[in-house]
Amino acid sequence: MKNSLLLLALLSTLGLAACDRAPVVVNTPPATVTVPGPAGPAGESGATGATGATGDQGFTGNTGSTGSTGDTGAQGNTGNTGDTGAQGNTGNTGKTGDTVIVVPAPTN
C-alpha cells in the first residue's frame, strides 16, 4: 500500500509537469523620449549676506614666578701630602790608574 501511493503520486506529478502551457507575452510600447527646449534667461543675483561680528580678544595670562636658586655645596677636604723619603748616601769615588780590558768568551 505504501509503495502504490508513492508510485501514484510520482506518476501524477510527471503528468502535470508534462502539460503544454503557452507562455504569457506582454508587449510594452516603447518609451517616449522628450527633448528639452532652449534655456531661459539667467535669473537675478541674490543679495549679499551680512558680515558677522568680530569676537572679543582674550585675556593675557599671568607670568609665572621665578624658581629658587639652589644651595652651593660644601667644599671637599684637601688630601694629606705624602711624606718625603730620606735621601740616599753618595757613593765612593772609584780608584784611578788601572785599566781593565774585558775580552768576550769564545763561542762554540
Side-chain angles (χ1 to χ4, degrees), residues 14-99:
L14 288 175
L16 288 175
C19 292
D20 187 24
R21 290 192 231 170
V24 178
V25 177
V26 178
N27 290 329
T28 57
T32 306
V33 178
T34 58
V35 178
E44 294 181 20
S45 297
T48 303
T51 303
T54 303
D56 295 334
Q57 183 174 356
F59 297 108
T60 302
N62 297 332
T63 303
S65 57
T66 304
S68 302
T69 304
D71 295 335
T72 303
Q75 183 175 356
N77 295 334
T78 304
N80 296 332
T81 304
D83 295 335
T84 304
Q87 185 173 359
N89 297 331
T90 304
N92 296 331
T93 304
K95 292 197 286 178
T96 58
D98 295 335
T99 302

